Amino acid sequence: MAKTGTTTQGLRAAIERSGYYPALVAEAVEAAVGGEPIASYLVHQETTFDANEVRRHVTVLVLTATRFIVSHTDEQNADTTSPTPYATTSTESVKLGRISSVVVSRVVANPESYQPGTLPREIVLTVGWGAVSRIDLEPAACGDPNCDADHGYTGNSTADDLSLRVSEAGDGPETVRQALHFAQALSEATAATR
């Protein structure tokens, strides 16, 4: 489930509609936003299945004139650290000028007959600002098949701060539309800060 919009009241209502610990989520998000006007937001709740457990989590993305705010809340079952179930909420506030990439990956069905304006089957929104990077290494090789020398390693470093996937099958077409709208607003806002 995702909701998007541009007002503080709309953000609060979208968090409440998600039904996922709304008082906890709203308090964390509103504290991070402060008094700054909201340009756009996206509330995305996801349910995952982990072995014999069902887990829910919610991600709230907020765009203001100067910042990109990410809030994520997870629920946990009772464990050795807590005799009762608990939730963990975190928020991160990133200045728009720090965002180095906004990537929208679209999956479309029947690309040979694609019509402009058709919703993708799913999208993945990836935002990078340098807080988390992933390094993929592999042994380097030369073109000689008989060479057994050590050529060191080669690899890639990828910014991977946030990745959010929404799909028509799992979340519905309106959620895909809302995620695209938020991604466009974020992309335009980061371009304006350059």
Side-chain angles (χ1 to χ4, degrees):
M1 168 190 312
K3 300 294 177 207
T4 188
T6 59
T7 68
T8 303
Q9 295 83 6
L11 174 59
R12 171 65 90 136
I15 291 170
E16 288 174 1
R17 277 192 306 275
S18 80
Y20 185 82
Y21 306 121
L24 173 65
V25 173
E27 181 179 54
V29 171
E30 289 168 1
V33 171
E36 204 170 352
I38 294 171
S40 187
Y41 63 82
L42 178 68
V43 177
H44 182 254
Q45 182 188 336
E46 186 174 18
T47 302
T48 58
F49 302 93
D50 182 21
N52 295 330
E53 297 178 355
V54 176
R55 291 194 172 180
R56 299 179 304 156
H57 56 263
V58 68
T59 302
V60 180
L61 307 178
V62 179
L63 176 63
T64 71
T66 61
R67 298 178 296 147
F68 171 58
I69 298 164
V70 179
S71 177
H72 190 79
T73 303
D74 282 302
E75 65 183 355
Q76 307 292 327
N77 291 324
D79 58 22
T80 57
T81 64
S82 175
T84 60
Y86 60 98
T88 304
T89 299
S90 63
T91 57
E92 183 170 3
S93 178
V94 181
K95 288 184 178 182
L96 289 178
R98 290 219 34 219
I99 295 177
S100 56
S101 66
V102 177
V103 180
V104 179
S105 300
R106 301 166 189 242
V107 176
V108 297
N110 304 312
E112 69 282 353
S113 60
Y114 177 79
Q115 296 293 317
T118 303
L119 280 179
R121 189 169 63 198
E122 70 179 57
I123 71 159
V124 177
L125 171 61
T126 305
V127 183
W129 57 89
V132 178
S133 293
R134 180 182 36 156
I135 298 176
D136 296 318
L137 295 175
E138 61 184 39
C142 68
D144 182 356
N146 296 320
C147 180
D148 61 355
D150 182 355
H151 294 285
Y153 289 88
T154 185
N156 299 320
S157 175
T158 307
D160 201 15
D161 295 305
L162 171 78
S163 188
L164 181 77
R165 176 185 172 269
V166 295
S167 70
E168 184 178 37
D171 302 299
E174 187 56 30
T175 300
V176 174
R177 185 175 289 106
Q178 291 167 350
L180 284 169
H181 174 75
F182 182 84
Q184 181 176 350
L186 179 60
S187 185
E188 290 171 358
T190 57
T193 63
R194 306 244 179 248

